[in-house]
Amino acid sequence: FFPSNEGGGSIAGNSILVYIVWFIPYISWMLLIGMDLPRRSTRKNNNNNNGEKVPKFDTVFHSLWRSGPCETFGSIFWKRPVEISRRQMQMDDYETRDLLLYMAIHAV
């Protein structure tokens, strides 16, 4: 059941390997592309008449983070004021450290 010296010879070892194979590309994709998908700020030209970006896609991170953990973890870990967290939740514009914290919790 537990990893052996042979590598790939156990359920836990194979599971960890599959998780790492998914984890690294996913974090890379989120940092390069995914963090901008649901953002409502005007970083790109996909704007409505008010100058606000119209989000086309959502991610699991964004949908979870806007439901409350942004405020909770922002105040606990980063000592971020609640008003800033609420603005981030409204605009779907989170800090990279929020994503990295989410992924660290996911890995545990």
Side-chain angles (χ1 to χ4, degrees):
F1 181 77
F2 292 102
S4 64
N5 292 336
E6 298 171 8
S10 69
I11 294 172
N14 289 334
S15 299
I16 291 170
L17 181 63
V18 168
Y19 187 79
I20 290 170
V21 166
W22 167 84
F23 191 81
I24 293 171
Y26 180 75
I27 287 180
S28 301
W29 178 81
M30 279 296 291
L31 290 172
L32 295 172
I33 299 169
M35 289 292 284
D36 287 332
L37 290 178
R39 184 176 286 152
R40 298 181 197 284
S41 62
T42 56
R43 287 188 177 191
K44 301 197 177 172
N45 293 331
N46 183 22
N47 299 332
N48 65 14
N49 294 335
N50 299 329
E52 184 177 279
K53 182 176 179 285
V54 180
K56 289 187 175 184
F57 302 100
D58 205 359
T59 67
V60 174
F61 165 72
H62 286 88
S63 65
L64 175 68
W65 217 245
R66 84 173 71 93
S67 68
C70 179
E71 280 185 39
T72 305
F73 290 118
S75 61
I76 292 172
F77 288 99
W78 322 129
K79 306 298 183 217
R80 182 170 53 214
V82 173
E83 297 80 28
I84 293 175
S85 292
R86 288 185 181 160
R87 189 181 78 238
Q88 288 177 340
M89 291 165 58
Q90 180 182 11
M91 300 299 289
D92 273 330
D93 191 8
Y94 305 104
E95 299 175 52
T96 301
R97 63 185 180 175
D98 289 324
L99 172 67
L100 297 177
L101 174 64
Y102 167 77
M103 293 308 296
I105 292 169
H106 190 281
V108 172

